Amino acid sequence: MTLQELVHKAASCYMDRVAVCFDECNNQLPVYYTYKTVVNAASELSNFLLLHCDFQGIREIGLYCQPGIDLPSWILGILQVPAAYVPIDPDSPPSLSTHFMKKCNLKYILVEKKQINKFKSFHETLNYDTFTVEHNDLVLFRLHWKNTEVDLMLSDGKEKYEKEKIRNSVSSEHVNEEKAEEHMDLRLEHCLAYVLHTSGTTGIPKIVRVPHECIVPNIQHFRVLFDITQEDVLFLASPLTFDPSVVEIFLALSSGASLLIVPTSIKLLPSKLATVLFSHHRVTVLQATPTLLRRFGSQLIKSTVLSATTSLRVLALGGEVFPSLTVLRSWRGEGNKTQIFNVYGITEVSSWATIYRIPEKILNSALKCELPVHLGFPLLGTVVEVRDTNGFTIQEGSGQVFLGGRNRVCFLDDEVTVPLGTMRATGDFVTVKDGEIFFLGRKDSQIKRHGKRLNIELVQQVAEELQQVESCAVTWYNQEKLILFMVSKDALVKDYIFKELQKHLPSHAIPDELVLIDTLPFTSHGKIDVSELNKIYLNYINLKSENKLSGKEDLWEKVQYLWKSTLNLPENLLKVPDESRFLNSGGDSLKSMRLLSEIEKLVGTSIPGLLEMILSSSILEIYNHILQTVFPDEDVTFRKSCATKRKLSNINQEEASGTSLPQKAIRTLSCHNENNAFVALSRGSQILSLNTTRFLPKLGHCSSAYPSDSISQTNTHDLKGLNSPVLIGKSKDPSCVAKVPEEGKPAIGTQKMELHMRWRSDTGKCVDASPLVVIPAFDESSTTVYIGSHSHKMKAVDFYSGKVKWEQSLGDRIESSACVSKCGNFIVVGLAVLYQWTNLFIPVYLTIRAKNIFWFP
């Protein structure tokens, strides 16, 4: 069974019913297509493509368009060729789109006529036929890729495929011998349905080719679970580049139901979108990310989306962490009967894998639930496994989720065949309790802060449950600051929020800073845009260094300037007409977010309702809105260290004064009284120079990179933009990268740089932190690398030869970088062990107690 067959089966029964409705939300009547119209238009496009496309090998056709009334017909027409459709988002960065098309080796692409100019200007580097063929509102382009590029990709793909075969054979214990003989082959004519790419937030975006056999079970199972009928109206909430869109489109068109489509810009206007969905069109089934739902705001959700009289029968939330039950209950209006589902899945096993309906009695209960909402049961044809760090399946405890199934497999990047039953790692960690699976967080959401593990999604969940918080997000800025971004329900004092957080969170989980914003930025897939949040924070911390506005006229001129620069309008345009509107002047959703960010950066504060004004009002109205809400003298940034100081003593003077007092050890340590001079390099980008002033003549390489006044102080320097100090020394290994001049200056030349292994040292198990390099001022040749690992071993290795100077096994695994004491005599590792800094060592265990520090030999 294929996606197009599901639609044809429904169309034969509901030929004259409305299949698609497109509402531009501009005071014009919506446009409707019946199933008959959709099927006929799709057949015409299929015939056109078969006539003009010379398919060789894998059949894939790109689709470059915005949401519209013809969208389902275009997708269906491509599928009927048969070929896989490859959605290209006109609003995505051109470099990403070009990389995606090149990686797919895409031969043909259908471009919507309205988007022709954007396609040509954004993709000037593409090589395509000057002669193009038109079909109604589409233009067919034939793309040409350089043979060298294609050959490299094919060669790379073959190599990856061979490695995949080896991995599959090694892990045969997870796929039985009978299954190993069977594969899914993407070269089969009716195999593929569509091609997408992952977001790339955790690395290079992956190409995902999805077979019909993988996605069809999702459609079939959801039809039963949601009880979809021809009376239902489903909303296309997801963009084509996000695989839940496939479920939305074909769940509607395979059931005789109606699919509602609106322009992308309307999705950015919460109040207008709510009116369109639940008042004008009475949407009954909504699948969305929690972030997309949060944008409505708790009041609108309670009064409209989840009210007692809402048209919404089914709400399925997925793609992000599911909201806590506390938040979910606060969103529901009294008497609401909407069925709420938690759906979970990954693009690599498109689209959904598990589902759980929140029982009515739990939603109506006032009891607080500490555990998150569990993931539920596997969908049709899906296999869910939880594996520990050793790769073994577990029935209780914590581990990583693996997804798959006999036919629930997709092709990643250059895979051509995939064994049936292949299981994919998700990067999501869960805990299994009494047979139920509870989501803990993504691998990239786990951070180490103040020496302790922390899941930043926990901080977000706790903050969101506070009564004053509308919505929020947490980021780990530059891997050094925990920032809480918050949309508040009303005016609040930040001190109050910090006090509330301290009641519910441990000290290591309290955010470094709280930033109030008007609305959470989100990606085209409806998820929180972390990169945009980081930009907002960067703007905030730069505000103090910027000039203040001189007055209203200055503000008006700068708003016009930002307007013109964002829209790329001619510089000779002296004045923007007062009645100019952003969307009518060439703006789009991404540009509106950019303009919002620039204006808030200009005025130094967030402006409630500004994004909606940008998208729906004239520039003069926007300016007046800014005038009414901006207070230039208010400091919107907030810096406060809320981490509780670790108490080493119960002495009252310490608590009263806020200063730490020296602690007495049970056993004293013997070391040199003399302070050693040294330079310590940590985390690859930070340098610490201590006691080096009197050794500057010997530290020529250091003094050349760092001024003497900075070396004489205890400072940590960021090396970005500076020359790294050159280490002078000889290695017996001839594979050293390059020769270093005796003067200690880096070699300059046009020779190709190559990296070779100089030496290696076995740590026993994985290393969880960066090494520490200590360069003595009196003897550069004794430069030492200090590194620890999960094997409980801490070792000192000679920087030049790789020879182990000493090695010691400790009582537990080492997860932190080492640091050096101020006197230069000790190396400290994770508050667990100290060593004297010589070739001889004195092991001393250190344990923290509430009152004192105890030293144990």
Side-chain angles (χ1 to χ4, degrees):
M1 182 69 73
T2 62
L3 292 175
Q4 61 267 29
E5 288 172 346
L6 290 176
V7 177
H8 281 288
K9 186 177 179 180
S12 64
C13 301
Y14 307 104
M15 196 64 75
D16 296 322
R17 289 193 66 87
V18 173
V20 186
C21 170
F22 178 65
D23 192 345
E24 288 196 67
C25 310
N26 58 356
N27 298 324
Q28 295 183 7
L29 292 176
V31 183
Y32 297 91
Y33 275 5
T34 63
Y35 275 84
K36 182 178 180 179
T37 304
V38 170
V39 170
N40 289 342
S43 298
E44 290 178 9
L45 179 58
S46 299
N47 294 332
F48 167 79
L49 292 172
L50 286 169
L51 180 63
H52 295 285
C53 296
D54 179 21
F55 291 108
Q56 294 179 357
I58 303 170
R59 296 184 173 191
E60 297 172 347
I61 298 176
L63 183 57
Y64 188 94
C65 66
Q66 294 285 6
I69 188 66
D70 293 301
L71 181 59
S73 302
W74 293 342
I75 292 175
L76 196 59
I78 295 173
L79 292 174
Q80 288 176 180
V81 170
Y85 72 93
V86 185
I88 309 294
D89 185 2
D91 292 332
S92 69
S95 57
L96 179 60
S97 299
T98 302
H99 171 80
F100 179 42
M101 290 187 284
K102 184 183 293 185
K103 194 76 184 289
C104 292
N105 192 23
L106 199 62
K107 292 292 197 311
Y108 296 97
I109 183 169
L110 287 167
V111 180
E112 186 180 9
K113 282 185 179 179
K114 295 178 182 178
Q115 304 297 323
I116 286 290
N117 292 334
K118 177 181 276 191
F119 176 77
K120 289 183 176 179
S121 62
F122 277 17
H123 302 282
E124 293 177 341
T125 59
L126 285 183
N127 188 8
Y128 50 81
D129 285 345
T130 54
F131 177 74
T132 56
V133 189
E134 296 185 10
H135 173 77
N136 296 333
D137 291 327
L138 293 172
V139 178
L140 178 66
F141 285 82
R142 179 184 173 93
L143 305 178
H144 300 281
W145 306 103
K146 294 180 181 179
N147 291 333
T148 53
E149 291 175 345
V150 177
D151 290 342
L152 283 172
M153 283 189 289
L154 292 176
S155 174
D156 184 47
K158 184 177 179 181
E159 182 180 346
K160 288 181 180 178
Y161 173 60
E162 293 299 326
K163 291 180 179 179
E164 187 69 25
K165 282 177 65 179
I166 295 173
R167 282 198 297 269
N168 287 332
S169 63
V170 171
S171 59
S172 58
E173 66 270 18
H174 299 299
V175 182
N176 62 44
E177 293 181 3
E178 182 181 348
K179 284 185 179 178
E181 298 297 325
E182 300 176 288
H183 291 74
M184 189 173 288
D185 193 328
L186 65 78
R187 293 166 294 190
L188 297 178
E189 189 175 85
H190 294 275
C191 179
L192 292 184
Y194 53 94
V195 184
L196 301 174
H197 62 80
T198 58
S199 61
T201 53
T202 56
I204 299 174
K206 288 180 284 191
I207 306 300
V208 183
R209 291 180 166 89
V210 185
H212 287 277
E213 288 186 80
C214 182
I215 188 61
V216 166
N218 264 196
I219 310 298
Q220 294 172 325
H221 204 170
F222 273 27
R223 282 173 58 190
V224 176
L225 293 171
F226 297 163
D227 192 22
I228 306 296
T229 70
Q230 64 271 23
E231 302 299 328
D232 280 307
V233 179
L234 287 81
F235 174 52
L236 182 59
S238 309
L240 288 189
T241 52
F242 192 29
D243 52 340
S245 65
V246 183
V247 176
E248 293 161 355
I249 294 171
F250 289 95
L251 186 58
L253 300 185
S254 66
S255 308
S258 176
L259 179 71
L260 173 65
I261 303 175
V262 302
T264 303
S265 59
I266 300 301
K267 297 177 185 178
L268 298 174
L269 306 174
S271 56
K272 192 168 188 176
L273 181 61
T275 302
V276 171
L277 296 187
F278 305 108
S279 296
H280 296 171
H281 296 282
R282 306 292 293 171
V283 166
T284 60
V285 179
L286 175 62
Q287 174 189 256
T289 60
T291 295
L292 185 62
L293 183 66
R294 287 186 181 100
R295 287 185 64 82
F296 287 114
S298 58
Q299 291 301 320
L300 198 55
I301 294 175
K302 196 168 187 175
S303 64
T304 305
V305 183
L306 295 178
S307 67
T309 58
T310 183
S311 60
L312 193 63
R313 283 197 313 107
V314 173
L315 173 63
L317 297 176
E320 291 179 307
V321 180
F322 195 80
S324 69
L325 284 174
T326 303
V327 172
L328 206 58
R329 289 166 182 161
S330 70
W331 286 346
R332 296 179 79 229
E334 187 176 351
N336 174 257
K337 298 298 181 183
T338 302
Q339 301 174 34
I340 303 177
F341 293 84
N342 177 17
V343 289
Y344 166 77
I346 59 172
T347 302
E348 290 88 335
V349 186
S350 188
S351 168
W352 301 116
T354 67
I355 189 167
Y356 174 67
R357 178 184 173 184
I358 317 300
E360 191 71 21
K361 63 179 182 180
I362 292 181
L363 288 173
N364 293 329
S365 173
L367 296 176
K368 183 174 177 61
C369 183
E370 298 297 334
L371 288 173
V373 175
H374 65 81
L375 298 184
F377 61 86
L379 288 165
L380 182 65
T382 307
V383 176
V384 179
E385 292 181 359
V386 180
R387 301 180 185 176
D388 60 18
T389 53
N390 296 318
F392 295 107
T393 303
I394 60 175
Q395 303 302 323
E396 288 282 328
S398 300
Q400 183 180 183
V401 179
F402 282 73
L403 299 177
R406 178 176 173 80
N407 293 315
R408 296 293 322 276
V409 293
C410 299
F411 303 90
L412 304 187
D413 289 332
D414 300 301
E415 292 176 342
V416 178
T417 63
V418 178
L420 298 180
T422 295
M423 303 294 289
R424 303 288 191 186
T426 63
D428 294 325
F429 288 91
V430 298
T431 185
V432 184
K433 185 177 182 180
D434 298 328
E436 295 180 338
I437 303 176
F438 298 91
F439 185 80
L440 295 178
R442 282 202 53 78
K443 183 179 180 180
D444 46 332
S445 296
Q446 309 291 317
I447 66 171
K448 195 165 187 181
R449 186 167 184 254
H450 302 327
K452 295 183 179 180
R453 291 283 179 187
L454 174 64
N455 179 8
I456 62 175
E457 289 167 352
L458 169 67
V459 182
Q460 178 176 326
Q461 180 181 325
V462 170
E464 191 176 42
E465 290 183 0
L466 298 180
Q467 189 175 359
Q468 298 79 10
V469 178
E470 183 71 66
S471 57
C472 63
V474 179
T475 64
W476 184 226
Y477 184 77
N478 284 349
Q479 297 187 341
E480 58 185 28
K481 278 191 174 184
L482 193 65
I483 311 300
L484 173 61
F485 296 87
M486 182 179 295
V487 179
S488 62
K489 293 180 181 178
D490 46 35
L492 50 81
V493 180
K494 293 179 183 179
D495 278 333
Y496 173 77
I497 292 296
F498 275 110
K499 288 178 181 177
E500 289 298 306
L501 290 176
Q502 287 174 333
K503 293 178 183 178
H504 305 284
L505 289 172
S507 59
H508 69 278
I510 301 298
D512 294 299
E513 295 190 26
L514 169 61
V515 178
L516 295 178
I517 56 177
D518 179 43
T519 182
L520 287 175
F522 65 101
T523 66
S524 59
H525 291 182
K527 300 182 180 182
I528 291 174
D529 192 335
V530 176
S531 62
E532 194 63 34
L533 286 176
N534 287 336
K535 290 178 183 177
I536 291 173
Y537 178 67
L538 184 61
N539 289 339
Y540 278 152
I541 62 179
N542 289 335
L543 281 177
K544 288 186 176 181
S545 62
E546 294 188 1
N547 296 325
K548 298 287 184 179
L549 291 168
S550 58
K552 294 181 180 180
E553 291 183 1
D554 186 31
L555 174 62
W556 173 241
E557 290 177 2
K558 289 181 178 178
V559 167
Q560 287 194 84
Y561 170 79
L562 293 175
W563 181 281
K564 290 187 287 185
S565 62
T566 303
L567 294 173
N568 296 319
L569 297 178
E571 294 183 4
N572 55 8
L573 182 64
L574 298 179
K575 183 178 182 297
V576 179
D578 294 350
E579 65 276 11
S580 294
R581 293 179 179 268
F582 190 75
L583 294 179
N584 294 342
S585 303
D588 56 36
S589 57
L590 292 177
K591 290 179 180 178
S592 68
M593 293 299 296
R594 197 180 313 139
L595 180 60
L596 171 68
S597 174
E598 290 297 325
I599 291 176
E600 291 188 339
K601 178 181 178 181
L602 170 68
V603 300
T605 184
S606 60
I607 307 172
L610 180 57
L611 180 60
E612 192 156 343
M613 291 291 293
I614 291 173
L615 291 167
S616 60
S617 306
S618 68
I619 186 172
L620 182 59
E621 292 169 329
I622 294 169
Y623 166 71
N624 289 328
H625 180 74
I626 298 171
L627 280 181
Q628 295 171 7
T629 55
V630 170
F631 300 93
D633 295 333
E634 183 178 349
D635 185 4
V636 297
T637 60
F638 189 81
R639 290 181 169 84
K640 179 172 181 177
S641 176
C642 292
T644 304
K645 183 187 297 181
R646 181 185 289 113
K647 295 183 179 180
L648 301 180
S649 173
N650 64 344
I651 301 176
N652 292 332
Q653 304 98 286
E654 178 177 338
E655 295 186 4
S657 64
T659 59
S660 60
L661 299 178
Q663 306 296 317
K664 296 182 178 180
I666 293 178
R667 177 171 176 172
T668 59
L669 295 177
S670 59
C671 64
H672 302 295
N673 292 326
E674 181 182 359
N675 287 338
N676 292 316
F678 64 91
V679 176
L681 182 66
S682 179
R683 297 183 180 273
S685 62
Q686 294 182 340
I687 191 167
L688 178 71
S689 303
L690 282 171
N691 313 316
T692 55
T693 306
R694 56 199 174 94
F695 289 98
L696 282 179
K698 299 181 181 180
L699 289 174
H701 55 281
C702 290
S703 58
S704 63
Y706 304 98
S708 58
D709 59 340
S710 66
I711 292 178
S712 63
Q713 301 296 324
T714 305
N715 288 324
T716 300
H717 302 270
D718 191 342
L719 292 185
K720 292 179 181 178
L722 297 174
N723 295 323
S724 301
V726 180
L727 303 178
I728 304 174
K730 296 181 180 180
S731 172
K732 298 179 181 178
D733 191 341
S735 63
C736 187
V737 175
K739 293 182 179 179
V740 181
E742 289 300 326
E743 295 81 7
K745 297 180 180 178
I748 301 175
T750 58
Q751 297 177 347
K752 182 180 178 181
M753 179 179 288
E754 295 183 1
L755 296 176
H756 298 279
M757 184 182 296
R758 184 162 185 167
W759 50 261
R760 62 182 178 183
S761 183
D762 185 8
T763 59
K765 283 190 177 180
C766 63
V767 175
D768 214 15
S770 302
L772 169 70
V773 180
V774 178
I775 311 166
F778 54 82
D779 184 8
E780 294 169 358
S781 63
S782 65
T783 299
T784 306
V785 180
Y786 298 91
I787 189 71
S789 73
H790 282 209
S791 65
H792 303 186
K793 293 180 180 178
M794 180 69 193
K795 60 168 62 179
V797 185
D798 184 88
F799 181 82
Y800 297 103
S801 67
K803 180 181 177 181
V804 177
K805 295 183 176 181
W806 54 258
E807 183 177 17
Q808 180 74 7
S809 182
L810 307 180
D812 201 352
R813 63 184 184 181
I814 301 169
E815 296 183 343
S816 63
S817 297
C819 58
V820 61
S821 63
K822 189 173 181 180
C823 65
N825 288 311
F826 297 98
I827 296 297
V828 184
V829 184
L831 297 179
V833 66
L834 274 74
Y835 285 116
Q836 187 163 355
W837 176 43
T838 59
N839 289 344
L840 300 175
F841 61 87
I842 305 174
V844 180
Y845 292 91
L846 171 64
T847 303
I848 301 296
R849 291 289 184 266
K851 297 181 179 180
N852 296 293
I853 297 178
F854 297 95
W855 306 86
F856 298 99

